[in-house]
Amino acid sequence: MKQHTLSVLVENRAGVLSRVTGLFSRRGFNIESLAVGTCEEEGTSRITIVVFGDDREVEQVIKQLNKLIDVIKVSDLTERARVERELALIKVSADPGGTRAEVMQIATIFRSQVIDVGSKTVTLEVTGDSDKIDALQRLLVPYGIRELYRTGRIAVLRGQKTVKSEK
Amino acid sequence: MKTGAKVLIEGLLRQGTKTIFGYPGGVVLPIYDVLYDSPLQHILVRHEQAAAHAADGYARASGRVGVCLATSGPGACNLVTGIATAYMDSIPVVALTGQVPTSLLGNDAFQESDIHGITMPITKHNYLVTRAEDLPQVIAEAFYIASTGRPGPVLIDLPKDVSTGEVPDEIEFPTSVNLRGYQPTVKGHPRQIERAAELLTKAERPLLYVGGGTILSGAEQELLALAERLGAPVTTTLMGLGAICGDHPLNLGMLGMHGTAYANYAVTECDLLVAIGARFDDRVTGRIETFAPNAQVIHIDVDPAEIGKNKSVDVPIVGDVRHVLAQLISRLPAGSKTGPWLARIDQWRAIHPLTIRDDGLLHPQYVVRTLSELLDGEGVIVSEVGQNQMWAAQHFCFKKPRSWITSGGLGTMGYGLPAAMGACFARPGEQVVLIAGDGSLQMNIQEFGTIAQYRIPVKVVVLNNGFLGMVRQWQELFYEHRYAYTELPPVNFVGIARAYGIDGMVVEECGEVREALRTAIAHDGPFVVDVHVEREENVFPMVPAGAAINEMIGSRL
Ligand SMILES: Cc1ncc(C[n+]2csc(CCOP(=O)(O)OP(=O)(O)O)c2C)c(N)n1
């Protein structure tokens, strides 16, 4: 059992996301992370899905995804050299006279931006792989995380290769 | 300008549709208005479930796409069981549903149900059309998707304003469809074909395990050629019956839960199993770990997702069965070395034949055998679900593909009667006989109304045991004879038939069976034979759920 990162290119049609997610729940797969957005080609979207399962199960998921008419291509990036990123927005308690300076310091170490300031909070934006965001999150817990938003993970192959150009 | 409804019907006609099964309602009125003076034949069923099953039966009997039509909300929901049935057996059906106008979508409008969402997991694909001008493309795609690759049902949801919407008269209908997300593989990969040919050439105890995909692909000639060239015995699934002639010496009949003992032994003993358009369903394999334990496995299927899903295989071949078998045959040397293997199977066959007791009592198997003799492989046999289905599968000698129509994957009681109606329209002039149980028949018995109205010449043979027989059998064997809610009070089926204007007769003696069946077959029009069979007869052999398939009960071991 391990995490698999799948990149799914789909026709951008009504219902396509529910087809994809419905398939996962129907076949008993848990989606750990899901990110959807348009991509370089008009009319298509790319869905990046992280699933947990053994190779045989994930192979079955890929085959079932491929059967969906609106799915153009499924690529398993798991064993590939790739860059993965997630983005998080974290609203954390930070009193001007108290912990704010420490929070800002931590933010700097993680190269995260302060994107908003409230009277008793700051909001940080951080990108990175999941581990980095997990680490930041852990460090901020003692200060009081008011709200946390994480996007799903997205991934891209390293170098010249694109998932689209591959067979 | 013309309306979307007109474009829809024109599209159906262009696809070669001649008959559709349907039931009207508010939002499909514009479509019915076009049907009123269209050359398309519309058959008014009595329940939308029957429309879906009839379209499915039509498709199975003809090999063409079956079409059904229902209104929104309850009408559409009533199609669901029929669509799921077609989906499980990979049957090409296009289901058309009316929908509330697009302006009301999502408003919980009167008779609105999200049939697009509801049917997503039970269709190969589905559409919610939002503009009349999309119809030509959607119809072309729907038929293409339903009938190619691994076939399956496609639903098109049609909001009322799409049916009434106007499009230019000269709107174009596509002549071909190209979907980049859907490119079924037809030919087998040469490397895999090569490897398969090597294994086949070496095998001493090969077995061909043939499923419904072989029939869907029209591969009966290639199958026969392969079997004969190799001297390989053939066993079929419930869905594969008819792919090889029932009395061919290489045919072992059905395998699996109610398969023949010799087919199941052959699976256990073979050294090479070739799965052809079959999917290792649990009713076939029993405990999967012990299925074909001594064999290398070649799996041929048009759907890559089936390969390796339940059983790991040595040689996977994705492709259309007919093409792949043709590719394989051309690489196989003639002359077989299976003599000893066939001799061994013949021994099993002699020791464990499918028998029926000859004690003067009216056994249901005898009814099936007599029917088989009288029809001699001609016509179409349709079944309901339960014991009747298994006895039909075991004891009728199917000689041709598409001569056997049954709900395999979903096991839908109430499928048979409407499916038989559909088969009659697909194969006019041929005998269509339904073998029914008294429970299943009552699940769509209202279709006697449709049958009477159109004089659809279905012959209904009820194996009437006054029980939900198959469930009673499980209760007898696994629940200490505790027959919880499985006994059915007597029903006067002939009386019901007569009330609809259909003729029929009751049979209570073994000696009357042959004559009654003759009468039914000779009768011009629909006919019901209500046969009061032995009430507590069981289907044997039987592999208990979860057992290995060579662990059968009811076959003298
Ligand atoms: C719609 C539906 N409901 C329930 C079942 C479960 N089931 C399978 S066989 C069977 C009994 C069938 O009885 P009958 O039609 O009388 O046929 P018999 O087994 O007696 O030949 C039942 C209830 C089913 N297959 N389909």
Side-chain angles (χ1 to χ4, degrees), chain B residues 49 81 384-389 391 410-414 436-441 443 463-472 486 488:
Chain B
Q49 183 188 352
T81 306
E384 287 289 353
V385 166
Q387 294 182 314
N388 60 87
Q389 177 183 35
W391 287 320
L410 204 65
T412 308
M413 289 174 68
D438 47 319
S440 300
L441 185 60
M443 279 222 181
L463 303 180
N464 186 347
N465 52 16
F467 277 112
L468 297 173
M470 184 57 93
V471 182
R472 184 209 57 73
T486 42
L488 297 173

PDB file of all heavy atoms in Angstrom, chain B residues 49 81 384-389 391 410-414 436-441 443 463-472 486 488, ligand 1:
ATOM      1  N   GLN B  49     -40.079  -0.052 -16.690  1.00  0.00           N
ATOM      2  CA  GLN B  49     -39.043  -1.079 -16.514  1.00  0.00           C
ATOM      3  C   GLN B  49     -39.079  -2.047 -17.696  1.00  0.00           C
ATOM      4  O   GLN B  49     -38.048  -2.485 -18.205  1.00  0.00           O
ATOM      5  CB  GLN B  49     -39.246  -1.850 -15.206  1.00  0.00           C
ATOM      6  CG  GLN B  49     -38.129  -2.876 -14.976  1.00  0.00           C
ATOM      7  CD  GLN B  49     -38.380  -3.798 -13.784  1.00  0.00           C
ATOM      8  OE1 GLN B  49     -39.315  -3.598 -13.006  1.00  0.00           O
ATOM      9  NE2 GLN B  49     -37.545  -4.810 -13.645  1.00  0.00           N
ATOM     10  N   THR B  81     -33.725  -0.117 -13.209  1.00  0.00           N
ATOM     11  CA  THR B  81     -33.400  -1.547 -13.103  1.00  0.00           C
ATOM     12  C   THR B  81     -33.061  -2.132 -14.477  1.00  0.00           C
ATOM     13  O   THR B  81     -32.142  -2.955 -14.602  1.00  0.00           O
ATOM     14  CB  THR B  81     -34.576  -2.316 -12.478  1.00  0.00           C
ATOM     15  OG1 THR B  81     -34.909  -1.695 -11.239  1.00  0.00           O
ATOM     16  CG2 THR B  81     -34.225  -3.764 -12.241  1.00  0.00           C
ATOM     17  N   GLU B 384     -36.550 -16.175 -16.992  1.00  0.00           N
ATOM     18  CA  GLU B 384     -36.611 -15.275 -15.847  1.00  0.00           C
ATOM     19  C   GLU B 384     -35.376 -15.564 -14.985  1.00  0.00           C
ATOM     20  O   GLU B 384     -34.362 -16.011 -15.505  1.00  0.00           O
ATOM     21  CB  GLU B 384     -37.932 -15.494 -15.085  1.00  0.00           C
ATOM     22  CG  GLU B 384     -39.142 -14.940 -15.845  1.00  0.00           C
ATOM     23  CD  GLU B 384     -39.209 -13.411 -15.875  1.00  0.00           C
ATOM     24  OE1 GLU B 384     -38.403 -12.768 -15.206  1.00  0.00           O
ATOM     25  OE2 GLU B 384     -40.085 -12.862 -16.573  1.00  0.00           O
ATOM     26  N   VAL B 385     -35.481 -15.363 -13.688  1.00  0.00           N
ATOM     27  CA  VAL B 385     -34.316 -15.555 -12.830  1.00  0.00           C
ATOM     28  C   VAL B 385     -34.655 -16.522 -11.716  1.00  0.00           C
ATOM     29  O   VAL B 385     -35.775 -16.508 -11.198  1.00  0.00           O
ATOM     30  CB  VAL B 385     -33.841 -14.198 -12.261  1.00  0.00           C
ATOM     31  CG1 VAL B 385     -32.863 -14.379 -11.109  1.00  0.00           C
ATOM     32  CG2 VAL B 385     -33.196 -13.378 -13.366  1.00  0.00           C
ATOM     33  N   GLY B 386     -33.718 -17.375 -11.397  1.00  0.00           N
ATOM     34  CA  GLY B 386     -33.926 -18.351 -10.333  1.00  0.00           C
ATOM     35  C   GLY B 386     -33.684 -19.760 -10.851  1.00  0.00           C
ATOM     36  O   GLY B 386     -32.865 -19.969 -11.757  1.00  0.00           O
ATOM     37  N   GLN B 387     -34.387 -20.708 -10.287  1.00  0.00           N
ATOM     38  CA  GLN B 387     -34.208 -22.095 -10.706  1.00  0.00           C
ATOM     39  C   GLN B 387     -34.571 -22.275 -12.175  1.00  0.00           C
ATOM     40  O   GLN B 387     -33.887 -22.986 -12.915  1.00  0.00           O
ATOM     41  CB  GLN B 387     -35.081 -22.998  -9.835  1.00  0.00           C
ATOM     42  CG  GLN B 387     -34.648 -23.039  -8.377  1.00  0.00           C
ATOM     43  CD  GLN B 387     -35.518 -23.979  -7.567  1.00  0.00           C
ATOM     44  OE1 GLN B 387     -36.748 -23.952  -7.679  1.00  0.00           O
ATOM     45  NE2 GLN B 387     -34.893 -24.818  -6.754  1.00  0.00           N
ATOM     46  N   ASN B 388     -35.662 -21.614 -12.581  1.00  0.00           N
ATOM     47  CA  ASN B 388     -36.099 -21.748 -13.974  1.00  0.00           C
ATOM     48  C   ASN B 388     -34.960 -21.408 -14.928  1.00  0.00           C
ATOM     49  O   ASN B 388     -34.750 -22.076 -15.945  1.00  0.00           O
ATOM     50  CB  ASN B 388     -37.319 -20.853 -14.228  1.00  0.00           C
ATOM     51  CG  ASN B 388     -37.029 -19.384 -13.966  1.00  0.00           C
ATOM     52  OD1 ASN B 388     -36.559 -18.672 -14.837  1.00  0.00           O
ATOM     53  ND2 ASN B 388     -37.299 -18.929 -12.747  1.00  0.00           N
ATOM     54  N   GLN B 389     -34.207 -20.384 -14.570  1.00  0.00           N
ATOM     55  CA  GLN B 389     -33.100 -19.911 -15.394  1.00  0.00           C
ATOM     56  C   GLN B 389     -31.986 -20.957 -15.461  1.00  0.00           C
ATOM     57  O   GLN B 389     -31.430 -21.251 -16.521  1.00  0.00           O
ATOM     58  CB  GLN B 389     -32.588 -18.616 -14.754  1.00  0.00           C
ATOM     59  CG  GLN B 389     -31.389 -17.964 -15.374  1.00  0.00           C
ATOM     60  CD  GLN B 389     -30.979 -16.723 -14.568  1.00  0.00           C
ATOM     61  OE1 GLN B 389     -31.108 -16.703 -13.335  1.00  0.00           O
ATOM     62  NE2 GLN B 389     -30.529 -15.689 -15.242  1.00  0.00           N
ATOM     63  N   TRP B 391     -32.250 -24.230 -14.790  1.00  0.00           N
ATOM     64  CA  TRP B 391     -32.680 -25.439 -15.504  1.00  0.00           C
ATOM     65  C   TRP B 391     -32.672 -25.215 -17.009  1.00  0.00           C
ATOM     66  O   TRP B 391     -32.289 -26.096 -17.781  1.00  0.00           O
ATOM     67  CB  TRP B 391     -34.069 -25.870 -15.019  1.00  0.00           C
ATOM     68  CG  TRP B 391     -34.031 -26.477 -13.648  1.00  0.00           C
ATOM     69  CD1 TRP B 391     -33.085 -27.330 -13.161  1.00  0.00           C
ATOM     70  CD2 TRP B 391     -34.965 -26.261 -12.578  1.00  0.00           C
ATOM     71  NE1 TRP B 391     -33.379 -27.668 -11.862  1.00  0.00           N
ATOM     72  CE2 TRP B 391     -34.526 -27.028 -11.481  1.00  0.00           C
ATOM     73  CE3 TRP B 391     -36.134 -25.501 -12.450  1.00  0.00           C
ATOM     74  CZ2 TRP B 391     -35.213 -27.064 -10.270  1.00  0.00           C
ATOM     75  CZ3 TRP B 391     -36.819 -25.541 -11.252  1.00  0.00           C
ATOM     76  CH2 TRP B 391     -36.362 -26.309 -10.164  1.00  0.00           C
ATOM     77  N   LEU B 410     -26.903  -9.067 -13.338  1.00  0.00           N
ATOM     78  CA  LEU B 410     -27.744  -8.470 -12.299  1.00  0.00           C
ATOM     79  C   LEU B 410     -28.740  -9.488 -11.756  1.00  0.00           C
ATOM     80  O   LEU B 410     -29.198  -9.355 -10.623  1.00  0.00           O
ATOM     81  CB  LEU B 410     -28.484  -7.239 -12.836  1.00  0.00           C
ATOM     82  CG  LEU B 410     -28.901  -6.223 -11.765  1.00  0.00           C
ATOM     83  CD1 LEU B 410     -27.694  -5.589 -11.089  1.00  0.00           C
ATOM     84  CD2 LEU B 410     -29.809  -5.148 -12.344  1.00  0.00           C
ATOM     85  N   GLY B 411     -29.094 -10.504 -12.538  1.00  0.00           N
ATOM     86  CA  GLY B 411     -30.073 -11.486 -12.075  1.00  0.00           C
ATOM     87  C   GLY B 411     -31.405 -10.834 -11.744  1.00  0.00           C
ATOM     88  O   GLY B 411     -31.917 -10.957 -10.641  1.00  0.00           O
ATOM     89  N   THR B 412     -31.957 -10.149 -12.729  1.00  0.00           N
ATOM     90  CA  THR B 412     -33.152  -9.340 -12.499  1.00  0.00           C
ATOM     91  C   THR B 412     -34.431 -10.145 -12.699  1.00  0.00           C
ATOM     92  O   THR B 412     -34.794 -10.482 -13.834  1.00  0.00           O
ATOM     93  CB  THR B 412     -33.158  -8.147 -13.480  1.00  0.00           C
ATOM     94  OG1 THR B 412     -31.913  -7.470 -13.388  1.00  0.00           O
ATOM     95  CG2 THR B 412     -34.303  -7.199 -13.155  1.00  0.00           C
ATOM     96  N   MET B 413     -35.115 -10.475 -11.605  1.00  0.00           N
ATOM     97  CA  MET B 413     -36.442 -11.084 -11.742  1.00  0.00           C
ATOM     98  C   MET B 413     -37.359 -10.076 -12.432  1.00  0.00           C
ATOM     99  O   MET B 413     -37.283  -8.881 -12.178  1.00  0.00           O
ATOM    100  CB  MET B 413     -37.029 -11.412 -10.368  1.00  0.00           C
ATOM    101  CG  MET B 413     -36.358 -12.553  -9.653  1.00  0.00           C
ATOM    102  SD  MET B 413     -37.024 -12.723  -7.971  1.00  0.00           S
ATOM    103  CE  MET B 413     -38.711 -13.265  -8.298  1.00  0.00           C
ATOM    104  N   GLY B 414     -38.205 -10.565 -13.304  1.00  0.00           N
ATOM    105  CA  GLY B 414     -39.093  -9.680 -14.048  1.00  0.00           C
ATOM    106  C   GLY B 414     -38.492  -9.234 -15.367  1.00  0.00           C
ATOM    107  O   GLY B 414     -39.120  -8.526 -16.145  1.00  0.00           O
ATOM    108  N   ALA B 436     -40.270 -19.341 -17.376  1.00  0.00           N
ATOM    109  CA  ALA B 436     -40.456 -18.426 -16.247  1.00  0.00           C
ATOM    110  C   ALA B 436     -40.660 -19.179 -14.948  1.00  0.00           C
ATOM    111  O   ALA B 436     -41.042 -20.346 -14.939  1.00  0.00           O
ATOM    112  CB  ALA B 436     -41.666 -17.523 -16.501  1.00  0.00           C
ATOM    113  N   GLY B 437     -40.404 -18.479 -13.842  1.00  0.00           N
ATOM    114  CA  GLY B 437     -40.821 -18.952 -12.530  1.00  0.00           C
ATOM    115  C   GLY B 437     -42.073 -18.191 -12.138  1.00  0.00           C
ATOM    116  O   GLY B 437     -42.323 -17.096 -12.658  1.00  0.00           O
ATOM    117  N   ASP B 438     -42.845 -18.745 -11.236  1.00  0.00           N
ATOM    118  CA  ASP B 438     -44.090 -18.061 -10.883  1.00  0.00           C
ATOM    119  C   ASP B 438     -43.821 -16.761 -10.124  1.00  0.00           C
ATOM    120  O   ASP B 438     -44.607 -15.823 -10.197  1.00  0.00           O
ATOM    121  CB  ASP B 438     -45.041 -18.970 -10.096  1.00  0.00           C
ATOM    122  CG  ASP B 438     -44.356 -19.723  -8.962  1.00  0.00           C
ATOM    123  OD1 ASP B 438     -43.229 -20.204  -9.154  1.00  0.00           O
ATOM    124  OD2 ASP B 438     -44.961 -19.825  -7.875  1.00  0.00           O
ATOM    125  N   GLY B 439     -42.688 -16.693  -9.416  1.00  0.00           N
ATOM    126  CA  GLY B 439     -42.353 -15.449  -8.730  1.00  0.00           C
ATOM    127  C   GLY B 439     -41.952 -14.365  -9.715  1.00  0.00           C
ATOM    128  O   GLY B 439     -42.535 -13.275  -9.749  1.00  0.00           O
ATOM    129  N   SER B 440     -40.966 -14.659 -10.542  1.00  0.00           N
ATOM    130  CA  SER B 440     -40.462 -13.671 -11.501  1.00  0.00           C
ATOM    131  C   SER B 440     -41.555 -13.170 -12.435  1.00  0.00           C
ATOM    132  O   SER B 440     -41.620 -11.985 -12.756  1.00  0.00           O
ATOM    133  CB  SER B 440     -39.355 -14.285 -12.360  1.00  0.00           C
ATOM    134  OG  SER B 440     -38.284 -14.727 -11.582  1.00  0.00           O
ATOM    135  N   LEU B 441     -42.385 -14.108 -12.883  1.00  0.00           N
ATOM    136  CA  LEU B 441     -43.398 -13.716 -13.864  1.00  0.00           C
ATOM    137  C   LEU B 441     -44.294 -12.617 -13.289  1.00  0.00           C
ATOM    138  O   LEU B 441     -44.735 -11.717 -13.996  1.00  0.00           O
ATOM    139  CB  LEU B 441     -44.232 -14.936 -14.272  1.00  0.00           C
ATOM    140  CG  LEU B 441     -45.257 -14.674 -15.379  1.00  0.00           C
ATOM    141  CD1 LEU B 441     -44.583 -14.186 -16.657  1.00  0.00           C
ATOM    142  CD2 LEU B 441     -46.087 -15.918 -15.667  1.00  0.00           C
ATOM    143  N   MET B 443     -43.444 -10.277 -11.473  1.00  0.00           N
ATOM    144  CA  MET B 443     -42.778  -8.987 -11.315  1.00  0.00           C
ATOM    145  C   MET B 443     -43.053  -8.045 -12.476  1.00  0.00           C
ATOM    146  O   MET B 443     -42.889  -6.835 -12.349  1.00  0.00           O
ATOM    147  CB  MET B 443     -41.272  -9.175 -11.156  1.00  0.00           C
ATOM    148  CG  MET B 443     -40.912  -9.549  -9.750  1.00  0.00           C
ATOM    149  SD  MET B 443     -39.461  -8.682  -9.186  1.00  0.00           S
ATOM    150  CE  MET B 443     -39.320  -9.364  -7.539  1.00  0.00           C
ATOM    151  N   LEU B 463     -42.656 -22.550 -15.045  1.00  0.00           N
ATOM    152  CA  LEU B 463     -42.287 -23.687 -14.198  1.00  0.00           C
ATOM    153  C   LEU B 463     -42.783 -23.313 -12.806  1.00  0.00           C
ATOM    154  O   LEU B 463     -42.068 -22.754 -11.986  1.00  0.00           O
ATOM    155  CB  LEU B 463     -40.769 -23.911 -14.229  1.00  0.00           C
ATOM    156  CG  LEU B 463     -40.176 -24.144 -15.625  1.00  0.00           C
ATOM    157  CD1 LEU B 463     -38.663 -24.349 -15.539  1.00  0.00           C
ATOM    158  CD2 LEU B 463     -40.828 -25.349 -16.310  1.00  0.00           C
ATOM    159  N   ASN B 464     -44.052 -23.614 -12.593  1.00  0.00           N
ATOM    160  CA  ASN B 464     -44.768 -23.090 -11.426  1.00  0.00           C
ATOM    161  C   ASN B 464     -44.584 -24.028 -10.235  1.00  0.00           C
ATOM    162  O   ASN B 464     -45.129 -25.130 -10.213  1.00  0.00           O
ATOM    163  CB  ASN B 464     -46.247 -22.953 -11.806  1.00  0.00           C
ATOM    164  CG  ASN B 464     -47.058 -22.278 -10.725  1.00  0.00           C
ATOM    165  OD1 ASN B 464     -46.597 -22.119  -9.585  1.00  0.00           O
ATOM    166  ND2 ASN B 464     -48.265 -21.884 -11.068  1.00  0.00           N
ATOM    167  N   ASN B 465     -43.766 -23.579  -9.260  1.00  0.00           N
ATOM    168  CA  ASN B 465     -43.536 -24.417  -8.079  1.00  0.00           C
ATOM    169  C   ASN B 465     -44.105 -23.802  -6.804  1.00  0.00           C
ATOM    170  O   ASN B 465     -43.891 -24.315  -5.711  1.00  0.00           O
ATOM    171  CB  ASN B 465     -42.032 -24.714  -7.906  1.00  0.00           C
ATOM    172  CG  ASN B 465     -41.191 -23.442  -7.926  1.00  0.00           C
ATOM    173  OD1 ASN B 465     -41.718 -22.345  -7.768  1.00  0.00           O
ATOM    174  ND2 ASN B 465     -39.895 -23.592  -8.134  1.00  0.00           N
ATOM    175  N   GLY B 466     -44.801 -22.680  -6.949  1.00  0.00           N
ATOM    176  CA  GLY B 466     -45.420 -22.085  -5.768  1.00  0.00           C
ATOM    177  C   GLY B 466     -44.412 -21.598  -4.733  1.00  0.00           C
ATOM    178  O   GLY B 466     -44.730 -21.430  -3.563  1.00  0.00           O
ATOM    179  N   PHE B 467     -43.199 -21.406  -5.196  1.00  0.00           N
ATOM    180  CA  PHE B 467     -42.142 -20.913  -4.316  1.00  0.00           C
ATOM    181  C   PHE B 467     -41.289 -19.897  -5.058  1.00  0.00           C
ATOM    182  O   PHE B 467     -41.233 -19.916  -6.297  1.00  0.00           O
ATOM    183  CB  PHE B 467     -41.204 -22.056  -3.900  1.00  0.00           C
ATOM    184  CG  PHE B 467     -41.674 -22.884  -2.735  1.00  0.00           C
ATOM    185  CD1 PHE B 467     -42.057 -24.207  -2.927  1.00  0.00           C
ATOM    186  CD2 PHE B 467     -41.720 -22.342  -1.453  1.00  0.00           C
ATOM    187  CE1 PHE B 467     -42.476 -24.982  -1.855  1.00  0.00           C
ATOM    188  CE2 PHE B 467     -42.134 -23.116  -0.380  1.00  0.00           C
ATOM    189  CZ  PHE B 467     -42.515 -24.441  -0.573  1.00  0.00           C
ATOM    190  N   LEU B 468     -40.611 -19.072  -4.308  1.00  0.00           N
ATOM    191  CA  LEU B 468     -39.444 -18.369  -4.839  1.00  0.00           C
ATOM    192  C   LEU B 468     -38.342 -19.420  -4.783  1.00  0.00           C
ATOM    193  O   LEU B 468     -37.560 -19.495  -3.836  1.00  0.00           O
ATOM    194  CB  LEU B 468     -39.118 -17.140  -3.989  1.00  0.00           C
ATOM    195  CG  LEU B 468     -40.237 -16.082  -3.983  1.00  0.00           C
ATOM    196  CD1 LEU B 468     -39.938 -14.968  -2.993  1.00  0.00           C
ATOM    197  CD2 LEU B 468     -40.452 -15.520  -5.383  1.00  0.00           C
ATOM    198  N   GLY B 469     -38.359 -20.264  -5.800  1.00  0.00           N
ATOM    199  CA  GLY B 469     -37.692 -21.552  -5.707  1.00  0.00           C
ATOM    200  C   GLY B 469     -36.219 -21.492  -5.364  1.00  0.00           C
ATOM    201  O   GLY B 469     -35.720 -22.250  -4.535  1.00  0.00           O
ATOM    202  N   MET B 470     -35.496 -20.604  -6.031  1.00  0.00           N
ATOM    203  CA  MET B 470     -34.052 -20.578  -5.806  1.00  0.00           C
ATOM    204  C   MET B 470     -33.732 -20.146  -4.377  1.00  0.00           C
ATOM    205  O   MET B 470     -32.808 -20.670  -3.749  1.00  0.00           O
ATOM    206  CB  MET B 470     -33.383 -19.643  -6.814  1.00  0.00           C
ATOM    207  CG  MET B 470     -31.873 -19.640  -6.715  1.00  0.00           C
ATOM    208  SD  MET B 470     -31.174 -21.283  -6.921  1.00  0.00           S
ATOM    209  CE  MET B 470     -30.852 -21.292  -8.683  1.00  0.00           C
ATOM    210  N   VAL B 471     -34.516 -19.227  -3.853  1.00  0.00           N
ATOM    211  CA  VAL B 471     -34.277 -18.790  -2.485  1.00  0.00           C
ATOM    212  C   VAL B 471     -34.673 -19.920  -1.519  1.00  0.00           C
ATOM    213  O   VAL B 471     -33.963 -20.211  -0.554  1.00  0.00           O
ATOM    214  CB  VAL B 471     -35.047 -17.490  -2.181  1.00  0.00           C
ATOM    215  CG1 VAL B 471     -34.759 -17.018  -0.763  1.00  0.00           C
ATOM    216  CG2 VAL B 471     -34.676 -16.408  -3.181  1.00  0.00           C
ATOM    217  N   ARG B 472     -35.794 -20.571  -1.828  1.00  0.00           N
ATOM    218  CA  ARG B 472     -36.199 -21.712  -1.017  1.00  0.00           C
ATOM    219  C   ARG B 472     -35.119 -22.786  -0.996  1.00  0.00           C
ATOM    220  O   ARG B 472     -34.823 -23.377   0.052  1.00  0.00           O
ATOM    221  CB  ARG B 472     -37.520 -22.321  -1.557  1.00  0.00           C
ATOM    222  CG  ARG B 472     -38.051 -23.459  -0.698  1.00  0.00           C
ATOM    223  CD  ARG B 472     -38.858 -24.478  -1.485  1.00  0.00           C
ATOM    224  NE  ARG B 472     -38.124 -25.067  -2.592  1.00  0.00           N
ATOM    225  CZ  ARG B 472     -37.140 -25.947  -2.476  1.00  0.00           C
ATOM    226  NH1 ARG B 472     -36.765 -26.392  -1.286  1.00  0.00           N
ATOM    227  NH2 ARG B 472     -36.505 -26.406  -3.540  1.00  0.00           N
ATOM    228  N   THR B 486     -40.930 -17.413   1.409  1.00  0.00           N
ATOM    229  CA  THR B 486     -40.620 -17.807   0.038  1.00  0.00           C
ATOM    230  C   THR B 486     -41.728 -18.640  -0.597  1.00  0.00           C
ATOM    231  O   THR B 486     -41.609 -19.044  -1.743  1.00  0.00           O
ATOM    232  CB  THR B 486     -39.299 -18.594  -0.040  1.00  0.00           C
ATOM    233  OG1 THR B 486     -39.236 -19.516   1.047  1.00  0.00           O
ATOM    234  CG2 THR B 486     -38.093 -17.664   0.013  1.00  0.00           C
ATOM    235  N   LEU B 488     -45.296 -19.029  -2.269  1.00  0.00           N
ATOM    236  CA  LEU B 488     -46.248 -18.161  -2.965  1.00  0.00           C
ATOM    237  C   LEU B 488     -47.583 -18.888  -3.080  1.00  0.00           C
ATOM    238  O   LEU B 488     -47.606 -20.057  -3.472  1.00  0.00           O
ATOM    239  CB  LEU B 488     -45.741 -17.833  -4.372  1.00  0.00           C
ATOM    240  CG  LEU B 488     -44.436 -17.043  -4.471  1.00  0.00           C
ATOM    241  CD1 LEU B 488     -43.983 -16.950  -5.929  1.00  0.00           C
ATOM    242  CD2 LEU B 488     -44.606 -15.652  -3.892  1.00  0.00           C
TER     243      LEU B 488
HETATM  244  C1  LIG C   1     -35.736  -8.244  -8.566  1.00  0.00           C
HETATM  245  C2  LIG C   1     -35.189  -9.363  -7.773  1.00  0.00           C
HETATM  246  N1  LIG C   1     -35.552  -9.519  -6.482  1.00  0.00           N
HETATM  247  C3  LIG C   1     -35.066 -10.559  -5.765  1.00  0.00           C
HETATM  248  C4  LIG C   1     -34.203 -11.455  -6.312  1.00  0.00           C
HETATM  249  C5  LIG C   1     -33.642 -12.618  -5.475  1.00  0.00           C
HETATM  250  N2  LIG C   1     -34.082 -13.892  -6.055  1.00  0.00           N
HETATM  251  C6  LIG C   1     -33.289 -14.636  -6.848  1.00  0.00           C
HETATM  252  S1  LIG C   1     -34.036 -15.998  -7.403  1.00  0.00           S
HETATM  253  C7  LIG C   1     -35.432 -15.653  -6.572  1.00  0.00           C
HETATM  254  C8  LIG C   1     -36.616 -16.562  -6.636  1.00  0.00           C
HETATM  255  C9  LIG C   1     -37.189 -16.654  -7.991  1.00  0.00           C
HETATM  256  O1  LIG C   1     -38.435 -17.306  -7.878  1.00  0.00           O
HETATM  257  P1  LIG C   1     -39.226 -17.732  -9.165  1.00  0.00           P
HETATM  258  O2  LIG C   1     -39.306 -16.637 -10.134  1.00  0.00           O
HETATM  259  O3  LIG C   1     -40.518 -18.310  -8.745  1.00  0.00           O
HETATM  260  O4  LIG C   1     -38.316 -18.816  -9.835  1.00  0.00           O
HETATM  261  P2  LIG C   1     -37.847 -20.268  -9.347  1.00  0.00           P
HETATM  262  O5  LIG C   1     -36.556 -20.072  -8.645  1.00  0.00           O
HETATM  263  O6  LIG C   1     -38.907 -20.820  -8.479  1.00  0.00           O
HETATM  264  O7  LIG C   1     -37.689 -20.987 -10.632  1.00  0.00           O
HETATM  265  C10 LIG C   1     -35.300 -14.477  -5.851  1.00  0.00           C
HETATM  266  C11 LIG C   1     -36.322 -13.893  -4.970  1.00  0.00           C
HETATM  267  C12 LIG C   1     -33.838 -11.245  -7.653  1.00  0.00           C
HETATM  268  N3  LIG C   1     -32.976 -12.041  -8.287  1.00  0.00           N
HETATM  269  N4  LIG C   1     -34.363 -10.212  -8.361  1.00  0.00           N
END
